[in-house]
């Protein structure tokens, strides 16, 4: 089974700080990389789907980059707010091994 | 509200029984995905259907099966239930594979 890793496991930042996390995924047979935001007691919410090497996507204060050759993606949050507190999951979709999720990065933004 | 509905919200049943979980995708979405989240485990992909056909399979047990009907709703059937099948089962939908997936609220299954 292919491994998807995320770091750090958890992160505490102050309101207004910018932060970033990493998702490492298998680069072989790569098809797409998904990022999700998952608040406690809710369902995962899609942030981005990225397919091309060098892809950069942005949604408000959140952005993501993708490097398919080396198998990593970064998620950035600019000016973190308490409502950004959630677990951020990535999932790698590879041919033959679909939708393998990482363990998530749990972000707490302190007011 | 993602537009994806799942029923029932909660289900409590005994070992050895069979249950059916139901998912209605967002209007216009052809792809349906099923996921399992057990205690102490992350999200596990089970199976994907696209326009009625099975598209991809993940860690789905042989005791589990799914189908997608002509109206695009999907059902996940879990049989010979074991205690370890207790989990939150999510359904998600998307227009196609490389699009964002929209998750339903989940069905919490408890096997006693």
């Amino acid at each position: 089974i292919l491994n998807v890793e995320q770091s750090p496991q958890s992160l505490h930042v102050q309101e207004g700080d910018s932060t970033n996390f990493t998702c490492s995924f298998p680069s072989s047979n790569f098809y797409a990389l998904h990022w999700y935001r998952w608040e406690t007691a809710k369902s995962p919410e899609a942030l981005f789907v990225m397919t091309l090497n060098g892809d950069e996507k942005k949604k408000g204060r959140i952005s993501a980059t993708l490097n398919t050759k080396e198998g990593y993606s970064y998620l950035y949050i600019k000016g973190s707010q308490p409502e950004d507190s959630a677990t951020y999951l990535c999932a790698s979709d590879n041919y033959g091994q679909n939708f393998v999720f990482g363990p998530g990065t749990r972000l707490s933004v302190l007011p | 509200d993602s537009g994806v509905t799942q029923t029932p919200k909660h289900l409590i049943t005994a070992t050895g029984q069979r249950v059916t979980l139901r998912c209605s995708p967002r209007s216009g979405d052809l792809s349906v995905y099923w996921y399992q989240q057990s205690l102490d485990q992350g999200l596990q992909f089970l199976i994907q259907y696209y326009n009625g056909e099975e598209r991809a399979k993940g860690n789905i047990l042989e005791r589990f099966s799914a189908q997608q009907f002509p109206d695009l709703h999907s059902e996940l059937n879990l049989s010979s239930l074991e205690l370890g099948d207790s989990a939150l089962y999510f359904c998600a939908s998307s227009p196609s594979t490389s699009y964002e997936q929209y998750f339903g609220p989940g069905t919490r299954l408890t096997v006693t």
Side-chain angles (χ1 to χ4, degrees), chain B residues 31-92:
Chain B
S31 232
V32 168
Y33 310 78
W34 286 98
Y35 296 93
Q36 178 194 57
Q37 192 211 3
S38 309
L39 266 176
D40 303 330
Q41 286 217 11
L43 267 177
Q44 303 279 324
F45 167 67
L46 295 178
I47 197 162
Q48 178 200 357
Y49 277 83
Y50 179 80
N51 204 19
E53 304 269 326
E54 184 186 299
R55 175 62 69 91
K57 227 169 181 173
N59 297 323
I60 188 165
L61 299 171
E62 281 191 20
R63 300 182 286 108
F64 296 1
S65 65
Q67 53 185 326
Q68 187 179 25
F69 295 87
D71 67 353
L72 301 176
H73 90 270
S74 177
E75 292 181 355
L76 179 68
N77 301 296
L78 316 176
S79 60
S80 304
L81 285 166
E82 301 175 0
L83 294 177
D85 298 327
S86 295
L88 189 50
Y89 290 85
F90 285 109
C91 161

Side-chain angles (χ1 to χ4, degrees), chain A residues 7-85:
Chain A
S7 61
Q9 189 175 7
S10 65
L11 194 52
H12 296 263
V13 301
Q14 288 294 135
E15 181 175 354
D17 286 351
S18 294
T19 187
N20 65 83
F21 348 116
T22 307
C23 171
S24 302
F25 56 88
S27 54
S28 61
N29 299 319
F30 174 82
Y31 181 69
L33 193 282
H34 297 246
W35 278 103
Y36 295 92
R37 180 172 175 275
W38 195 358
E39 287 182 73
T40 306
K42 293 190 176 178
S43 305
E45 175 197 343
L47 290 173
F48 306 112
V49 179
M50 296 190 284
T51 55
L52 299 175
N53 186 42
D55 247 356
E56 286 190 31
K57 295 224 171 169
K58 189 173 164 138
K59 199 180 268 192
R61 293 179 292 99
I62 305 178
S63 60
T65 60
L66 179 69
N67 183 322
T68 61
K69 292 187 178 173
E70 294 179 44
Y72 65 83
S73 175
Y74 293 132
L75 188 81
Y76 302 91
I77 302 180
K78 189 176 172 184
S80 304
Q81 299 296 308
E83 57 265 31
D84 296 329
S85 298

